[in-house]
Amino acid sequence: QVQLVESGGGLVQAGGSLRLSCAASGRNFQAYNVGWFRQAPGKEREFVSAMAWHGKTTYADSVKGRFTISRDNAKNMWYLQMNSLKPEDTAVYYCAADPQSDDEYDFWGQGTQVTVSS
């Protein structure tokens, strides 16, 4: 059974940093694209960042230069380092996996809350 579990969320002041982790189990995710999404209250879920199986990374314009995605295939984990956090980064953050590399994320975690105070 595939399971993704996020951790590392919390409350931080503006300008601070957090590192989110996603622990995956149930299969080997080395060949999958992986990503992070977020959903703020009253808003639709939005793309944050992704890393292809071959290492190419993409970022939403709103986080470019502040967030960094990485992965550890040996541990079946991926991460989102978030620096220079802003109040508008407040959201529930979800990790996800795309097994077919077609931008269809079939596997999702339950989410972790990130709150940035001003």
Side-chain angles (χ1 to χ4, degrees), residues 29 32-35 37 45 47 50 96-108:
F29 285 74
Y32 294 2
N33 295 351
V34 297
F37 294 76
R45 186 170 61 195
F47 168 79
D98 166 16
Q100 304 295 331
S101 301
D102 59 359
D103 287 334
E104 295 290 333
Y105 286 83
D106 296 330
F107 304 114
W108 293 84

Side-chain angles (χ1 to χ4, degrees), residues 13-111:
Q13 288 188 332
S17 298
L18 284 174
R19 188 194 192 209
L20 304 183
S21 299
C22 182
S25 60
R27 58 180 68 183
N28 188 335
F29 285 74
Q30 184 172 356
Y32 294 2
N33 295 351
V34 297
W36 290 93
F37 294 76
R38 68 186 181 186
Q39 187 168 19
K43 296 186 177 181
E44 294 191 353
R45 186 170 61 195
E46 65 175 1
F47 168 79
V48 175
S49 180
M51 177 175 274
W53 61 269
H54 48 76
K56 180 181 178 180
T57 58
T58 55
Y59 297 93
D61 287 343
S62 59
V63 307
K64 204 169 292 183
R66 300 187 298 121
F67 291 10
T68 303
I69 189 171
S70 61
R71 65 194 297 173
D72 185 336
N73 288 330
K75 296 182 178 179
N76 239 11
M77 294 186 70
W78 54 102
Y79 309 93
L80 186 68
Q81 178 67 42
M82 306 185 295
N83 298 329
S84 302
L85 283 161
K86 305 175 181 180
E88 50 264 43
D89 294 319
T90 295
V92 177
Y93 284 71
Y94 300 89
C95 64
D98 166 16
Q100 304 295 331
S101 301
D102 59 359
D103 287 334
E104 295 290 333
Y105 286 83
D106 296 330
F107 304 114
W108 293 84
Q110 292 300 306

